[in-house]
Amino acid sequence: WMTYVQSSPDSLQEHALWPEKDRNERFSFDPARAWVFQSKEFMKMYPGLIISADEIEQGTILIKTLFQGMDSSGLSIPIGLYKVKAKYSGEKWILEHVLESMTSDWTKRTIGGITFVMSPKHRYSSGTARKAVRFCDSLTALFDLHDIEDARYYVANSKEEMASILGFDFFVSIPQGLTYPEKDMVFTAMDTEFHSHELSHLIFGSFSKTHTFIVEGLSTWLGGSLGQSFETLSKLLAKEYIGRGQSLSFDDVLKAGQRESLAYYTFGAIVCKQVFHLSGGTGLKLFLDEARIESRDLKSVIAKHLAIQEHEIDAFIKTSLLDSHMYNSD
């Protein structure tokens, strides 16, 4: 396990320590990848320390790892307690996440290309499940994308329950939802079969190298965020900025990232909506291909697809937000 932790688990590559079923042509599936293995810098700030390794059955060890850092005064800052299995296959040791064992007794229902795996605390709604399938079908048709054929959608009753089935006994900041498109897996803590933001991530999962700002913006435009529509979020952001007396610039929002999550998600949504308005589905997909994670020139890519100059981006976003505010006033 520590060999894996120290061998770039943040990178997009397969790891031989995971079994074949958890690997594909892109990278190995490890639930912790999107939580504590976000980047080399993040892992350096919050290194892992094994606090227990107990044999739970013959040939299977349950390992618990505490990820923590230090503040400027030397006090410990724990961010997560993660459990993973190490199993002896008869020839070698391999890693295994706890998801399958944690959800083995959960109710399963399959509609279309989605299997809903639901917490015992959840009350299943076939109507809501069908709404989710129709939403996915509408996006694949509109943007000419591949249909979902074998996705798994996990419905948790709370953020803590969702974290638990992914292996976290504790995490400092648990999201409301999470999608692993490389494995066609969606997780929601919102106790519903229809988490449209995460389903949008699933549908556009093939654009794995697109910048997070654009990916989150796209899913916010198409599916809202935290139960709020894109239109409502735009009005909330416009109201907040008018109250502040000074709006954040595009550069400020991009630099702040998730610390300014409302602006980060909504700015990206405004950009994606306009690109689609100007160039349709084909133009939007070209934009997603060009707006890559490693791009050091994201601003120029955005300006190009908005058909404006870079210095005009702030004015464009401000105008879009003010239009939302005026619409709300009417």
CSV table of all heavy atoms in Angstrom, one decimal, residues 50 52-57 60-65 82-87 96 98 101 169:
chain,number,residue,atom,x,y,z
A,50,ILE,N,0.2,4.9,8.1
A,50,ILE,CA,-0.5,3.7,8.5
A,50,ILE,C,-0.7,3.7,10.0
A,50,ILE,O,0.2,3.7,10.7
A,50,ILE,CB,0.1,2.5,8.0
A,50,ILE,CG1,0.1,2.4,6.4
A,50,ILE,CG2,-0.6,1.2,8.5
A,50,ILE,CD1,0.8,1.2,5.8
A,52,SER,N,-3.1,1.3,11.3
A,52,SER,CA,-3.4,-0.1,11.7
A,52,SER,C,-3.4,-1.0,10.4
A,52,SER,O,-3.6,-0.5,9.3
A,52,SER,CB,-4.8,-0.2,12.3
A,52,SER,OG,-5.8,0.1,11.5
A,53,ALA,N,-3.1,-2.2,10.6
A,53,ALA,CA,-3.1,-3.2,9.5
A,53,ALA,C,-3.5,-4.6,10.1
A,53,ALA,O,-2.7,-5.3,10.7
A,53,ALA,CB,-1.8,-3.3,8.8
A,54,ASP,N,-4.8,-4.9,10.0
A,54,ASP,CA,-5.4,-6.0,10.7
A,54,ASP,C,-5.9,-7.1,9.7
A,54,ASP,O,-6.5,-6.7,8.7
A,54,ASP,CB,-6.5,-5.6,11.6
A,54,ASP,CG,-6.1,-4.6,12.7
A,54,ASP,OD1,-5.0,-4.8,13.3
A,54,ASP,OD2,-6.8,-3.6,12.9
A,55,GLU,N,-5.6,-8.3,10.0
A,55,GLU,CA,-6.1,-9.4,9.1
A,55,GLU,C,-7.5,-9.7,9.5
A,55,GLU,O,-7.9,-10.1,10.6
A,55,GLU,CB,-5.2,-10.7,9.3
A,55,GLU,CG,-5.6,-11.8,8.3
A,55,GLU,CD,-4.6,-12.9,8.3
A,55,GLU,OE1,-4.1,-13.3,9.4
A,55,GLU,OE2,-4.4,-13.6,7.3
A,56,ILE,N,-8.4,-9.4,8.5
A,56,ILE,CA,-9.9,-9.6,8.8
A,56,ILE,C,-10.4,-10.9,8.3
A,56,ILE,O,-11.4,-11.4,8.7
A,56,ILE,CB,-10.7,-8.4,8.1
A,56,ILE,CG1,-10.4,-8.4,6.6
A,56,ILE,CG2,-10.4,-7.1,8.7
A,56,ILE,CD1,-11.2,-7.3,5.8
A,57,GLU,N,-9.6,-11.6,7.4
A,57,GLU,CA,-9.8,-12.9,7.1
A,57,GLU,C,-8.5,-13.4,6.5
A,57,GLU,O,-7.6,-12.7,6.2
A,57,GLU,CB,-11.0,-13.1,6.0
A,57,GLU,CG,-10.8,-12.3,4.8
A,57,GLU,CD,-12.0,-12.4,3.9
A,57,GLU,OE1,-13.1,-11.9,4.2
A,57,GLU,OE2,-11.9,-13.0,2.8
A,60,THR,N,-6.3,-11.5,3.8
A,60,THR,CA,-6.9,-10.2,3.6
A,60,THR,C,-6.5,-9.3,4.7
A,60,THR,O,-6.9,-9.6,5.9
A,60,THR,CB,-8.4,-10.2,3.3
A,60,THR,OG1,-8.7,-11.1,2.2
A,60,THR,CG2,-8.9,-8.8,3.1
A,61,ILE,N,-5.8,-8.2,4.5
A,61,ILE,CA,-5.5,-7.2,5.5
A,61,ILE,C,-6.3,-5.9,5.3
A,61,ILE,O,-6.3,-5.4,4.1
A,61,ILE,CB,-4.0,-6.9,5.4
A,61,ILE,CG1,-3.1,-8.2,5.4
A,61,ILE,CG2,-3.6,-6.0,6.6
A,61,ILE,CD1,-3.1,-8.9,6.7
A,62,LEU,N,-6.9,-5.4,6.3
A,62,LEU,CA,-7.5,-4.1,6.2
A,62,LEU,C,-6.6,-3.1,6.8
A,62,LEU,O,-6.2,-3.1,7.9
A,62,LEU,CB,-8.8,-4.1,7.0
A,62,LEU,CG,-9.6,-2.8,7.0
A,62,LEU,CD1,-10.2,-2.6,5.6
A,62,LEU,CD2,-10.8,-2.8,8.0
A,63,ILE,N,-6.2,-2.1,5.9
A,63,ILE,CA,-5.2,-1.1,6.2
A,63,ILE,C,-5.9,0.2,6.4
A,63,ILE,O,-6.7,0.6,5.6
A,63,ILE,CB,-4.1,-1.0,5.1
A,63,ILE,CG1,-3.5,-2.3,4.9
A,63,ILE,CG2,-3.1,0.1,5.5
A,63,ILE,CD1,-2.7,-2.3,3.6
A,64,LYS,N,-5.6,0.9,7.5
A,64,LYS,CA,-6.2,2.2,7.8
A,64,LYS,C,-5.0,3.3,7.7
A,64,LYS,O,-4.0,3.1,8.4
A,64,LYS,CB,-6.9,2.3,9.1
A,64,LYS,CG,-8.2,1.5,9.1
A,64,LYS,CD,-9.1,1.8,10.3
A,64,LYS,CE,-10.4,1.0,10.2
A,64,LYS,NZ,-11.3,1.4,11.4
A,65,THR,N,-5.2,4.3,7.0
A,65,THR,CA,-4.2,5.3,6.8
A,65,THR,C,-4.7,6.7,7.1
A,65,THR,O,-5.7,7.1,6.6
A,65,THR,CB,-3.7,5.3,5.3
A,65,THR,OG1,-3.3,4.0,4.9
A,65,THR,CG2,-2.5,6.2,5.1
A,82,TYR,N,-8.5,6.8,5.8
A,82,TYR,CA,-8.9,6.0,4.7
A,82,TYR,C,-8.6,4.5,4.9
A,82,TYR,O,-7.5,4.2,5.4
A,82,TYR,CB,-8.2,6.5,3.4
A,82,TYR,CG,-8.5,5.8,2.1
A,82,TYR,CD1,-9.8,5.8,1.6
A,82,TYR,CD2,-7.6,5.1,1.4
A,82,TYR,CE1,-10.1,5.1,0.4
A,82,TYR,CE2,-7.9,4.5,0.2
A,82,TYR,CZ,-9.2,4.5,-0.3
A,82,TYR,OH,-9.5,3.8,-1.4
A,83,LYS,N,-9.5,3.6,4.5
A,83,LYS,CA,-9.3,2.2,4.6
A,83,LYS,C,-9.3,1.5,3.3
A,83,LYS,O,-10.1,1.9,2.4
A,83,LYS,CB,-10.3,1.5,5.6
A,83,LYS,CG,-11.8,1.7,5.2
A,83,LYS,CD,-12.6,1.1,6.3
A,83,LYS,CE,-14.1,1.2,5.9
A,83,LYS,NZ,-14.6,2.6,6.2
A,84,VAL,N,-8.4,0.6,3.1
A,84,VAL,CA,-8.2,-0.2,1.9
A,84,VAL,C,-7.8,-1.6,2.2
A,84,VAL,O,-7.2,-1.8,3.3
A,84,VAL,CB,-7.2,0.5,1.0
A,84,VAL,CG1,-5.8,0.4,1.5
A,84,VAL,CG2,-7.2,-0.1,-0.5
A,85,LYS,N,-8.1,-2.6,1.4
A,85,LYS,CA,-7.7,-3.9,1.6
A,85,LYS,C,-6.5,-4.3,0.8
A,85,LYS,O,-6.3,-3.8,-0.3
A,85,LYS,CB,-8.9,-4.9,1.2
A,85,LYS,CG,-10.1,-4.8,2.1
A,85,LYS,CD,-11.2,-5.7,1.6
A,85,LYS,CE,-12.5,-5.6,2.3
A,85,LYS,NZ,-13.6,-6.5,1.8
A,86,ALA,N,-5.7,-5.1,1.4
A,86,ALA,CA,-4.6,-5.8,0.7
A,86,ALA,C,-4.9,-7.3,0.7
A,86,ALA,O,-5.1,-7.9,1.8
A,86,ALA,CB,-3.2,-5.5,1.3
A,87,LYS,N,-4.9,-7.9,-0.5
A,87,LYS,CA,-5.3,-9.3,-0.6
A,87,LYS,C,-4.2,-10.1,-1.2
A,87,LYS,O,-3.6,-9.6,-2.2
A,87,LYS,CB,-6.6,-9.5,-1.3
A,87,LYS,CG,-7.8,-8.8,-0.7
A,87,LYS,CD,-9.1,-9.1,-1.4
A,87,LYS,CE,-9.5,-10.5,-1.0
A,87,LYS,NZ,-10.9,-10.8,-1.5
A,96,GLU,N,-7.4,-3.7,-2.9
A,96,GLU,CA,-8.8,-3.8,-3.2
A,96,GLU,C,-9.6,-2.7,-2.4
A,96,GLU,O,-9.4,-2.6,-1.2
A,96,GLU,CB,-9.4,-5.2,-2.9
A,96,GLU,CG,-10.8,-5.4,-3.2
A,96,GLU,CD,-11.3,-6.8,-2.9
A,96,GLU,OE1,-11.1,-7.7,-3.7
A,96,GLU,OE2,-12.0,-7.0,-1.8
A,98,VAL,N,-12.9,-0.9,-0.7
A,98,VAL,CA,-14.0,-1.6,0.1
A,98,VAL,C,-15.4,-1.4,-0.4
A,98,VAL,O,-16.4,-1.8,0.1
A,98,VAL,CB,-13.9,-1.0,1.6
A,98,VAL,CG1,-12.6,-1.2,2.2
A,98,VAL,CG2,-14.3,0.5,1.6
A,101,SER,N,-17.7,-4.6,-1.0
A,101,SER,CA,-18.1,-5.2,0.3
A,101,SER,C,-19.0,-4.3,1.1
A,101,SER,O,-20.0,-4.8,1.8
A,101,SER,CB,-16.9,-5.6,1.1
A,101,SER,OG,-16.1,-4.5,1.4
A,169,ASP,N,-13.4,6.8,6.7
A,169,ASP,CA,-14.0,6.9,8.0
A,169,ASP,C,-14.2,8.3,8.4
A,169,ASP,O,-15.0,8.7,9.2
A,169,ASP,CB,-13.2,6.1,9.1
A,169,ASP,CG,-13.3,4.6,8.9
A,169,ASP,OD1,-14.3,4.2,8.3
A,169,ASP,OD2,-12.4,3.9,9.3
